[in-house]
Amino acid sequence: MPEQDVAEVVQRYLDHLVVERGAAANTVSSYRRDLERYRDFLAGRRLAALRDVDEAAVRDFLVQLRKGDPDAGQPALADSSVARTLVAVRGLHKFAAAEGLVDTDVAHAVRPPKPARRLPKALPVDEVLAILEAAGAADHPRALRDRALLELLYSCGARISEVTGLDVDDLDLEDRSVVLRGKGGKDRIVPIGRPAVAAVDAYLVRGRPSLAKKGGPALFLNARGGRLSRQSAWQVLVDAAERAGIDKDVSPHTLRHSFATHLLDGGADVRVVQELLGHSSVTTTQVYTLVTVNTMREVYATAHPRAR
């Protein structure tokens, strides 16, 4: 079989997608754009046939996608777009190998770039305090419940499901601790700060009895006397943040992130924070140290006489 250039193989592959695979028109159009960019890249390397392409060339193509090519008017692509383009390129090479157009599939071992690690978003201490104050601004049973709920979330870094799943007997206010039931059925005992203890005690004395219209062990109750749902607890936080004038996306996990970050900023050992959060591996917790490193850099840059 005479050797075919890259453009011819690309067209054969696209025809294969339509005829043999029944690919949708949008999919074929997307593949065509991605493979035309790949073809142009190879042409710039003077690689006229797929037989001339090796694994290094495929990897170099991914690098260019991430950097962009200003001379060609091509912006840098996000990792998700690079991964999508790689699917098309790998499909092309796999097809060429299956058809006997090349000896080996040189793109088989090439993997897409790992997405950038997203750092947790933590609120400054003053914004957390503002949210807590806003939650308990009124003096009625639900306000007492909401303040106690958010105080607990922040005080012990609990997941929302762990707090809404609490029963009254899980608390030991005298010992200032609570039993949290984490993922995989793993229980842990976590200390509670004095403000959270005070808020929970106020709720138990002046709030919960008014909400407890039916028997049950649940600590946090809804207006009908049943266990407060995760969705309702989430809304409690959103409403409190809005009343506090916090113009950010805030979720229960935001308080968990803030708990961990504030502890580490205060000098807590990462392994202690790991235990408090209920992480099975310290590696999971160490993502929070990336946040505090940024804080340390800022302090260093402004305070050290030889920082600049």
Side-chain angles (χ1 to χ4, degrees):
M1 178 182 295
E3 189 168 75
Q4 297 179 323
D5 64 23
V6 174
E8 290 174 317
V9 181
V10 166
Q11 188 56 55
R12 283 187 59 176
Y13 176 52
L14 294 174
D15 291 341
H16 165 77
L17 290 177
V18 174
V19 177
E20 302 295 334
R21 304 281 293 277
N26 287 343
T27 299
V28 175
S29 177
S30 176
Y31 273 47
R32 185 184 302 279
R33 286 194 304 272
D34 293 337
L35 292 175
E36 284 177 351
R37 187 166 183 171
Y38 184 49
R39 179 200 63 200
D40 293 343
F41 169 81
L42 295 178
R45 293 289 186 92
R46 300 185 182 280
L47 299 172
L50 279 190
R51 286 186 183 278
D52 302 327
V53 179
D54 58 13
E55 184 178 315
V58 179
R59 294 187 184 280
D60 288 346
F61 175 60
L62 297 191
V63 171
Q64 187 187 88
L65 291 178
R66 300 181 76 181
K67 290 183 176 179
D69 186 356
D71 294 336
Q74 295 174 338
L77 297 184
D79 286 343
S80 58
S81 297
V82 174
R84 186 207 67 217
T85 302
L86 178 59
V87 170
V89 171
R90 289 183 62 183
L92 173 69
H93 281 278
K94 183 178 180 180
F95 169 78
E99 293 290 306
L101 303 176
V102 296
D103 296 328
T104 58
D105 178 1
V106 298
H108 174 72
V110 180
R111 294 290 180 265
K114 291 184 178 180
R117 196 171 196 180
R118 294 179 61 188
L119 296 179
K121 295 179 180 178
L123 296 174
V125 174
D126 61 333
E127 291 187 358
V128 173
L129 297 182
I131 291 173
L132 298 178
E133 290 292 335
D139 188 18
H140 58 70
R142 277 186 293 175
L144 292 170
R145 178 203 65 190
D146 295 350
R147 178 65 180 265
L149 171 75
L150 299 189
E151 285 278 9
L152 263 184
L153 278 172
Y154 176 60
S155 183
C156 52
R159 301 176 179 92
I160 187 66
S161 57
E162 293 172 342
V163 168
T164 55
L166 284 175
D167 293 337
V168 174
D169 289 344
D170 293 325
L171 289 164
D172 186 339
L173 296 185
E174 194 169 313
D175 188 50
R176 291 199 290 140
S177 64
V178 61
V179 177
L180 298 176
R181 291 174 174 80
K183 293 181 177 179
K186 296 180 179 178
D187 294 355
R188 66 189 188 280
I189 299 176
V190 179
I192 312 172
R194 293 187 187 279
V197 169
V200 172
D201 185 57
Y203 163 64
L204 289 174
V205 173
R206 307 201 314 272
R208 189 176 182 278
S210 298
L211 297 172
K213 299 176 182 178
K214 50 187 177 183
L219 174 61
F220 293 110
L221 305 176
N222 59 31
R224 298 179 300 280
R227 187 181 295 275
L228 190 70
S229 69
R230 293 174 63 255
Q231 293 78 9
S232 296
W234 187 305
Q235 193 60 48
V236 166
L237 175 58
V238 171
D239 291 343
E242 184 177 338
R243 288 196 297 273
I246 307 299
D247 188 22
K248 297 176 181 177
D249 289 332
V250 177
S251 72
H253 238 59
T254 305
L255 292 185
R256 182 169 160 86
H257 295 331
S258 301
F259 163 86
T261 303
H262 297 165
L263 276 176
L264 290 168
D265 278 341
D269 183 88
V270 68
R271 293 191 180 275
V272 173
V273 178
Q274 173 197 355
E275 293 295 328
L276 293 172
L277 291 172
H279 287 162
S280 58
S281 169
V282 71
T283 304
T284 308
T285 313
Q286 282 175 334
V287 67
Y288 295 100
T289 66
L290 299 177
V291 180
T292 59
V293 164
N294 290 337
T295 302
M296 286 190 288
R297 285 199 184 101
E298 291 176 9
V299 172
Y300 177 84
T302 56
H304 196 287
R306 302 283 287 180
R308 299 183 181 181

